[in-house]
Amino acid sequence: MALEEKREKRPPVTPMMIEEEAALRNGSRGLPPGPWAEAAGPRPRTTERHIAVHKRLVLGFAVSILALLAVTMIAVLLSVRFEECGAAADGPPRVGGNGSLSGAARQPPGAEQPPGRPEEEEAARGGEAAAPEEKTEEEEWQRRRELPPWTRPRLPRHLRPLHYNLMLSAFMENFTFSGEVNVQLEVRNASRHIVLHAHRLHIEAVRVAEDKLAGGVRVSRSFLYPQTQVFVVVLNRSLEVQRSYNLKIIYNGLIENELLGFFRSSYVLHGERRFLGVTQFSPTHARKAFPCFDEPIYKATFKISIRHQATYLSLSNMPVETSVFEEDGWVTDHFSQTPLMSTYYLAWAVCNFTYRETVTKSGVVVRLYARPDAIRRGSGDYALNITRRLIEFYEDYFKVPYSLPKLDLLAVPKHPYAAMENWGLSVFVEQRILLDPSISSILYLLDVTMVIVHELCHQWFGDLVTPVWWEDVWLKEGFAHYFEFVGTDYLYPGWNMEKQRFLTDVLHEVMLLDGLTSSHPVSQEVQQATDIDRVFDWIAYKKGAALIRMLANFMGHSVFQMGLQDYLTIHKYGNAARNDLWNTLSKALKRVGKSVNIQEVMDQWTLQMGYPVITILGNETTDNVIVISQERFVYDSDAKPKNPALRDNSYLWQIPLTIAVGNTSHISSEAIIWVSNKSEHHRIPALEEASWLLGNINQTGYFRVNYDIRNWRLLINQLTRNHEVISVSNRAGLIDDAFNLARAGYLPQNIPLEIIRYLSEEKDFLPWHAASRALYPLDKLLDRTENYNIFNEYILRQVAAVYLKLGWPTNNLNKSLVQASYQHEELRREVIMLACSFGNKHCHQQAATLISDWISSNRNRIPLNVRDIVYCTGVSLMDEDVWEFIWMKFHSTTAVSEKKILLEALTCSDDRNLLNRLLNLSLNSEVVLDQDAIDVIIHVARNPHGRDLAWKFFKEKWKILNARYGEALFMNSKLISGVTEFLNTEEELRELKNFIKSYEEGAAASFSRAVETVEANVRWQRLYKEELFQWLRKSLTY
């Protein structure tokens, strides 16, 4: 307490005593000036009067000292009592307590604490901050025209953590934990304030001491500031520059029943529900598990110790160094010290899983931990084996060894994301890592493979070299997403993932999102905590990957690889920004004699949102000369960017346009033209009357290409006569570009439908996959219109011949999971899906027969690669009994891959009562896992019979959904997009806008995209729907 408050609580005093205290504060010998000072001076003689005066003086001084001591003791006792009451009532944000600093971490929250040492208690209590003092301090910051450091969105830069010693006790019986963290701090600038992150923690005690031998630094006060999720320690004196200090904090918290921080999950084994605790710290949730400097720039080393019941085991980033067993059935695991790392990929888990193990050539121990029954069945063996091979691949590709002695893969039942790349302890949701070869499709195997490839890449891009700040999150996520395809090609060379599947699964998909004016640059400014969640979207992941792929292609893959090796070597165990990458890649180009300013080129792609559409026009007046122009591609030309600063942007890019000339039997080798102006003229050799032009060869560039109608006609004729003259990648690219250019109004609506006529002769998977993906949104725009059957009939005609030719797969339960021909099996699956979706009678009959056989025999003989299609088709065509059968199988199966497709099949019903029932059950965590509920709602929204039901359910349950998923990256944006993307009437648009007005809090960026998408849908219906139907009617009459 402050001195003024102490005076108010003292007994009445005389004016003399007040003057004495004033003198003490002013630094005199304890006596006021004037006669009293003279009386205290030396005298040659002492009279009785002088003796009496001296006695009164001594007596008064003694009384004042005794009173001061008494009041101090009372104040301390009241302070301790007030802190205990305040903590119990969750009162004002103050810190204190009389718990033992060394023993508190061993006790559950609320347990009785032994008394601490007096000097530790004094340091821990510091001094209670009274409201007037706090207000005075904030007023002082205002007078200096500065924000107090704890109110700013970023931590102040005057301190740097060097090392954390973290000791945790996990109490799984009541889902609480207690902890003691000791942080070694380096002082960069003198300050009286220590500000670090802490959120939803109860702080029991805090102490600050100079490093090693020096004594404590008195804590004046400390408090939590929830607005910025920080804990503030105010000291009596400033910390000295270039000195090292130790910050000790004792705290406790809950192992939450949610998806972030230190949370709990559960599973059932032999009829018994078992619990586990696991962490998810990225991007800003380490602060929920321990007080820390929770920004990626603050790298430090960590020494973790976890105390738990002996029936559990604990895992963390590093191996266990020693385990100390106690008589009461508890054990403390002490883990080895980590290398320098950021807080967001620190991790630990407390579980009773079992594991299997393998070792890489370089000696890295790889273990996969999962439920005992999953390990016993061998469900983790596939993931374990490819992880070993992938570590060896990355070590060879990057020429940088894996940095830790071990890597654990942890399969958990509940997790907000597919996986998290914690260094040395990667966590996966079970559906993305466990695989049963007897009941898993190629598509499921591919999904599991690519998630593992992605997370292992992060051990280098993200963990070893970390972005300086979240604005460049694409530096880790873009690379990991790109290497999903490179790494899978290493495992399965014949699948051509990077050259082919990348186009449909990444490039075409992200261009849909980035063609909206509500998009954002891949590198975007991040100020507030809410901005951090916003940058984790498909723009960072997929656009980042597409730009990296474009960069690798125009640099040359070998030079690009050499540049990445240099980048990782230079910045390992540190942080890097995008300019660090550009500079390293520019130097790599210089070493091979090329001079390209990578930063100048790539800043236009990373700092501007959207992408260009290149238009190539023949010049009618000059032979062999073409006009190339660029403009920003947008789906709705009437839409205006929400940010006024972006409305006048000129949107120019330096575009590496590859171009080739072809005719009926031959295509030339490609040439590269750098396009940097709005419009340019270029001479093209050998451009004859019957020749056609093709731009963006193999779609290595992140842009669309449009042509004059004459060139489109020539390309359509070429596809019809001999499509193999044009590469597989470019056939897929032409289909996707044509459908999207037409949707945005750049092309007549008939051009894309004319292009896909050639598909009856197409034998490759990729063009069919591109067509299927391009037709899907068009189908959803039309599926509730009165003339939908015309569109439906046209698509069935294109599919029929190939469907009959390919037929259905045979039952392959006894065959290898990876088929002899991945491309052939995926093509067959794609055609069957289109045939069943658009109502091919034979396809429907086959699906119904297979379902009926399963029900009657209770033996599932449905081919693995088409099970999801058969389940969905059967549920949509057959009666309620089939729905109930699938529901029963969903509950009884323990195979996670089967569980996923059974749940999705339930959303295919035409029965609105069943769809409503499923929607309501989706929010019951005991029935549907939290991360799966979103997929249920989205799949119901994709069903034309359930679209309005899902939209109504979403509006009614928004508060519950937002509370559950609001902090989890992707989840809210995925849900909002999935429920709204196919709304396409004026009434639905009005409902969406009114809903947003009612619930303005949270997910603003996602709702902006939703409005623009629905506006573009409504605009298309108004402008182009009738044009499309007119052409379809004419086409079907021939």
Side-chain angles (χ1 to χ4, degrees), residues 653-709:
W653 290 266
Q654 290 191 52
I655 304 167
L657 173 65
T658 48
I659 197 164
V661 179
N663 55 38
T664 54
S665 61
H666 174 74
I667 186 169
S668 69
S669 57
E670 66 186 69
I672 186 166
I673 298 171
W674 282 91
V675 180
S676 54
N677 299 305
K678 281 283 185 187
S679 182
E680 300 178 1
H681 290 71
H682 290 273
R683 182 173 295 279
I684 303 295
L687 189 58
E688 300 171 356
E689 180 67 24
S691 300
W692 40 261
L693 285 165
L694 188 63
N696 196 13
I697 304 304
N698 294 323
Q699 280 208 300
T700 56
Y702 185 69
F703 49 88
R704 298 196 185 279
V705 182
N706 195 9
Y707 310 93
D708 54 46
I709 293 298

Side-chain angles (χ1 to χ4, degrees), residues 58 139 330 457 459 575 602 642 645 650 666 697 708 769 794 878 883 940 963 1014:
V58 171
E139 286 173 352
W330 285 73
C457 181
Q459 304 294 305
N575 299 81
M602 294 307 295
K642 195 170 183 182
S650 59
H666 174 74
I697 304 304
D708 54 46
H769 193 48
Y794 182 82
M878 301 168 80
W883 194 94
V940 172
V1014 178

Side-chain angles (χ1 to χ4, degrees), residues 34-313:
W36 286 102
E38 291 176 6
R43 295 285 188 227
R45 295 177 58 190
T46 303
T47 64
E48 289 182 4
R49 178 176 176 275
H50 288 152
I51 291 170
V53 169
H54 277 283
K55 285 180 179 177
R56 286 197 300 273
L57 175 62
V58 171
L59 181 62
F61 186 80
V63 169
S64 68
I65 292 298
L66 288 171
L68 183 60
L69 288 171
V71 169
T72 301
M73 292 297 294
I74 292 168
V76 168
L77 291 171
L78 287 174
S79 168
V80 171
R81 181 61 186 157
F82 178 77
E83 286 167 5
E84 290 172 350
C85 294
D90 196 23
R94 292 189 172 86
V95 173
N98 61 346
S100 165
L101 281 167
S102 58
R106 296 173 57 88
Q107 300 294 330
E112 184 178 345
Q113 304 284 352
R117 296 191 301 275
E119 66 271 21
E120 287 188 336
E121 291 176 12
E122 178 72 15
R125 282 195 299 272
E128 295 253 347
E133 182 183 334
E134 188 170 332
K135 186 175 179 182
T136 303
E137 185 164 347
E138 292 197 4
E139 286 173 352
E140 175 61 28
W141 284 99
Q142 289 172 5
R143 279 196 296 272
R144 291 160 57 180
R145 296 186 178 180
E146 291 183 44
L147 289 171
W150 54 89
T151 65
R152 300 169 195 170
R154 298 283 300 273
L155 293 177
R157 293 289 178 259
H158 62 274
L159 295 175
R160 182 168 73 96
L162 302 176
H163 176 74
Y164 293 81
N165 198 326
L166 176 60
M167 291 165 283
L168 287 167
S169 292
F171 305 96
M172 297 301 294
E173 69 278 6
N174 63 357
F175 306 121
T176 62
F177 69 97
S178 60
E180 176 186 317
V181 62
N182 290 268
V183 191
Q184 184 184 352
L185 301 173
E186 179 185 78
V187 181
R188 291 175 167 180
N189 295 296
S191 176
R192 290 178 54 234
H193 301 96
I194 298 173
V195 182
L196 71 166
H197 289 107
H199 186 46
R200 290 160 63 170
L201 297 174
H202 174 75
I203 308 295
E204 296 179 13
V206 58
R207 181 188 179 191
V208 179
E210 283 195 55
D211 195 23
K212 306 230 171 158
L213 300 176
V217 180
R218 183 176 173 81
V219 175
S220 174
R221 65 191 183 100
S222 52
F223 58 92
L224 290 162
Y225 191 74
Q227 294 92 322
T228 50
Q229 300 181 358
V230 296
F231 177 58
V232 184
V233 181
V234 184
L235 305 171
N236 267 19
R237 64 175 175 86
S238 291
L239 301 177
E240 297 177 32
V241 178
Q242 295 183 343
R243 297 291 292 273
S244 181
Y245 295 83
N246 183 267
L247 169 67
K248 178 181 286 189
I249 300 173
I250 292 175
Y251 65 98
N252 60 63
L254 300 177
I255 304 173
E256 300 279 6
N257 185 24
E258 53 176 45
L259 296 167
L260 301 166
F262 186 16
F263 67 94
R264 67 182 185 264
S265 182
S266 67
Y267 62 97
V268 175
L269 185 67
H270 307 310
E272 175 194 356
R273 182 162 295 280
R274 297 187 175 187
F275 289 91
L276 62 142
V278 67
T279 59
Q280 170 56 41
F281 289 162
S282 178
T284 57
H285 304 288
R287 63 195 67 176
K288 293 179 180 176
F290 68 108
C292 57
F293 293 76
D294 200 10
E295 293 180 7
I297 192 66
Y298 290 114
K299 287 198 166 187
T301 54
F302 292 82
K303 191 82 168 59
I304 308 290
S305 298
I306 300 177
R307 182 174 177 265
H308 55 85
Q309 290 164 301
T311 51
Y312 291 85
L313 61 86

Side-chain angles (χ1 to χ4, degrees), residues 267 351-356 368-375 379-380 409-412 430 433-434:
Y267 62 97
C351 60
N352 40 30
F353 285 172
T354 54
Y355 68 88
R356 287 194 181 173
L368 188 142
Y369 288 83
R371 292 179 282 116
D373 54 327
I375 292 294
S379 299
L409 312 176
L410 179 65
V412 297
E430 288 180 337
I433 193 168
L434 300 183

Side-chain angles (χ1 to χ4, degrees), residues 744-755:
Y746 293 90
L747 264 184
Q749 299 301 302
N750 59 296
I751 293 293
L753 293 172
E754 288 188 48
I755 285 177

